[in-house]
Amino acid sequence: ILYQKNAQKRYPVASTIKILTLAVIEKDIQAHKLSWDQKVTISHPVAVMANDWRFSNVPLNEGESYTIKSLVDSMMLVSADGSAEALALADAGSVAKLAKEAGVTDAKIYNMIGLSNGDLGTLRLKNVSKNAENQISAVDLAKIASWLLNHYPDVVNITKTAQEDFPVSDSQTYHMQNINLMIKGAALDRADGEIDGLKTGTTDSAGNCFVSTGTFNNRRLVTVVLNVPGDFNNQFQQTNNLYNRVLGRFAPQTIKKGTLIKVGQKKARAAKTTTLWLPKDTKLEKKTIKIRGTLKGSKLTPNDMPQVALKLK
């Protein structure tokens, strides 16, 4: 973690939960429980939600069938709530189980869509408050995003798509424009790197939320902003501020294979060449540096506590 503020506090996260929904879909496709070209038939309750323009949506017709891929694309590009509900009903995967696999232990998850329970109509959870919303901390959202990107890096081929036509029926398409305004070529893209994901989210209680990812200096970064006040664009401005802060203070430096790593009296050498984000004034050839981690046997394991001293061979 290069920078954090209030990162452990749970907040409503709106449609950023769809990152977790996508992770479940990807995992079940890999396990051959689903396939990208598998079709999902739209039920009446899902059609009602998909055609309710109080929410983010593409139109879905009752009785019409849509591929998993087209539903996922609409969920990630324009945050289509009806599509997310259709995917949730089609998939038996557990978001709570996957969140735990990603290292999340302190989240409140009620649905795979990001709306309050009462907004789900007949699909709402019984015996749960209508005001209940998913609540996750920024650090846990970052864990989920990192898990998704590490296991299924090709997801950025979806999330960086600028525009696409959604096939509503044989005679109708709906043009989708990616609502992430920071992807390459969009209004708020960056010249010093390429942002290719990941997911926005907005509700009255959550405010504006955004989980982004991009590549800078050939290294991937993930950022999370939650509960951002103001208009929709402010979440992108706050994300820009995060990138500026991190890129202004840190730069990637390469640790060569064979570099000596010391923790107390224990020593080990880097098994392979790797790159770390370090303060810009760090000179590996001139002084010992410290990174976070522990040394168990001959393996270095990153974590939040003790400091690890790195010395050149």
Side-chain angles (χ1 to χ4, degrees), residues 1 4 6-11 13 16-17 19-20 95 98-109 135-148 198 211 222-224 226 304:
I1 298 177
Q4 59 181 316
N6 298 329
Q8 308 291 337
K9 182 180 178 180
R10 283 197 312 257
Y11 289 96
V13 295
T16 60
I17 193 67
I19 297 170
L20 184 55
V95 290
L98 195 145
K100 187 175 181 180
E101 186 176 334
V104 175
T105 58
D106 186 33
K108 293 183 178 180
I109 300 175
Q135 292 189 30
I136 307 176
S137 68
V139 70
D140 281 346
L141 265 183
K143 288 178 182 178
I144 293 167
S146 297
W147 189 96
L148 175 64
L198 203 55
V211 180
V222 171
T223 67
V224 180
L226 301 175
D304 289 334

Side-chain angles (χ1 to χ4, degrees), residues 58-59 66 164-176:
V58 296
Y66 304 91
E164 185 177 309
D165 287 332
F166 181 86
V168 179
S169 67
D170 290 340
S171 59
Q172 181 187 2
T173 59
Y174 179 87
H175 186 68
M176 301 185 295

Side-chain angles (χ1 to χ4, degrees), residues 17-79:
I17 193 67
K18 289 170 176 145
I19 297 170
L20 184 55
T21 305
L22 177 56
V24 171
I25 297 293
E26 288 275 9
K27 186 173 184 180
D28 283 352
I29 286 175
Q30 186 181 58
H32 304 293
K33 297 178 181 179
L34 295 173
S35 65
W36 285 115
D37 58 359
Q38 179 179 333
K39 290 195 172 185
V40 177
T41 301
I42 302 304
S43 65
H44 177 71
V46 171
V48 169
M49 171 176 287
N51 292 283
D52 187 336
W53 294 100
R54 294 177 300 161
F55 310 129
S56 299
N57 269 315
V58 296
L60 301 175
N61 296 328
E62 181 178 353
E64 195 93 40
S65 296
Y66 304 91
T67 65
I68 295 286
K69 180 62 165 59
S70 64
L71 293 171
V72 164
D73 287 357
S74 62
M75 177 179 73
M76 299 307 292
L77 267 60
V78 297
S79 201

Side-chain angles (χ1 to χ4, degrees), residues 210-221:
F210 185 36
V211 180
S212 86
T213 186
T215 302
F216 297 81
N217 297 318
N218 297 313
R219 299 288 290 174
R220 180 165 293 282
L221 295 174

Side-chain angles (χ1 to χ4, degrees), residues 180-202:
N180 179 354
L181 300 184
M182 296 187 73
I183 60 172
K184 189 174 180 63
L188 302 176
D189 70 346
R190 293 182 64 101
D192 55 354
E194 181 178 350
I195 294 175
D196 49 16
L198 203 55
K199 191 69 195 70
T200 62
T202 303

